Amino acid sequence: MYVHGFRSSGSSGTVVMLRSILYESGIKVIAPDIPVSPLAAEKMLHEMAEREQPSLIIGTSMGAMYTELLHGFPRILVNPSFHMSRTMVLKGWVGKKHKYLNKRADGATELKIDNTIIEEFKQVETRLFSDTSEMERELVYGLFGKNDNTVNYQDLFIEHYGRGHFILFEGEHQLNGNVLKKEVLPLIEQLV
């Protein structure tokens, strides 16, 4: 199961690459469009994980924040944006329309961030790291681009999950084909 980042969708280039590469291995990639409402997104992802019982969940950026909350499943958090509410305010995104980077199933082409969305993100963020037991620490991997200029929550990941599954890679915030093949796919093969 793949959980996309902000302004993306389940049809992103990353999803297309994952499906193409993993198809040969018989691995099905489930990648829904995440609702704009953080509370609706959290609920949908919990329900989907329970229904689908994925052998692995990968989330990038905002999607990695949601993925952290899906306890009991092996998870890869790529450049997690654990504090979306803070990021959106600091970057001046509130009150503005933002174009989606990829086609969405509902046909939406843009979204608007308002104070309701910020407050919902704050609620979701209060549930982060609610279970970092030894079992969960074995299930969660954090991958961080050395040149990520968008967000940097490496210290927060280490604080809650330790360094055992903390991985730095040569790259930036968004995944590209090289990083996907060199860093993410070997870890997927190891975990699945």
Side-chain angles (χ1 to χ4, degrees):
M1 188 168 128
Y2 177 81
V3 186
H4 67 75
F6 178 63
R7 294 178 39 213
S8 192
S9 74
S11 65
S12 72
T14 300
V15 174
V16 171
M17 281 189 282
L18 283 171
R19 284 185 173 141
S20 173
I21 294 167
L22 296 173
Y23 177 79
E24 303 260 333
S25 304
I27 298 172
K28 178 182 172 188
V29 178
I30 301 165
D33 286 356
I34 307 303
V36 174
S37 160
L39 295 177
E42 179 184 24
K43 181 177 188 281
M44 182 203 78
L45 291 168
H46 275 288
E47 289 172 355
M48 180 174 280
E50 286 305 312
R51 182 178 64 250
E52 299 291 337
Q53 290 295 305
S55 52
L56 177 65
I57 303 172
I58 303 168
T60 55
S61 190
M62 175 190 74
M65 176 201 66
Y66 290 126
T67 299
E68 194 282 335
L69 297 166
L70 301 174
H71 303 142
F73 297 95
R75 305 184 299 286
I76 300 173
L77 314 180
V78 183
N79 292 322
S81 185
F82 291 129
H83 292 290
M84 284 298 295
S85 62
R86 184 182 318 154
T87 298
M88 290 180 166
V89 170
L90 290 174
K91 293 196 180 278
W93 294 349
V94 182
K96 296 179 181 170
K97 290 183 179 178
H98 304 272
K99 291 196 179 296
Y100 283 111
L101 302 171
N102 313 101
K103 184 178 180 181
R104 291 180 58 93
D106 64 5
T109 58
E110 62 184 24
L111 72 153
K112 185 175 181 182
I113 301 302
D114 59 21
N115 288 325
T116 300
I117 299 293
I118 298 301
E119 291 307 312
E120 286 190 18
F121 269 121
K122 287 179 181 178
Q123 288 179 50
V124 171
E125 291 162 8
T126 64
R127 291 185 276 284
L128 290 170
F129 312 114
S130 62
D131 182 0
T132 54
S133 63
E134 190 58 40
M135 184 182 93
E136 284 297 310
R137 289 169 76 127
E138 287 299 314
L139 293 173
V140 177
Y141 289 76
L143 274 64
F144 295 86
K146 290 180 183 177
N147 303 311
D148 184 347
N149 295 321
T150 304
V151 295
N152 184 340
Y153 290 108
Q154 296 175 20
D155 291 342
L156 191 57
F157 180 87
I158 292 168
E159 175 186 336
H160 291 282
Y161 286 102
R163 292 187 175 273
H165 294 160
F166 172 80
I167 301 166
L168 282 175
F169 63 86
E170 289 296 331
E172 298 176 7
H173 187 69
Q174 291 185 309
L175 289 177
N176 61 40
N178 186 45
V179 171
L180 193 64
K181 289 176 184 172
K182 187 176 177 186
E183 304 292 340
V184 180
L185 285 171
L187 187 53
I188 289 172
E189 290 170 0
Q190 174 189 329
L191 297 174
V192 177

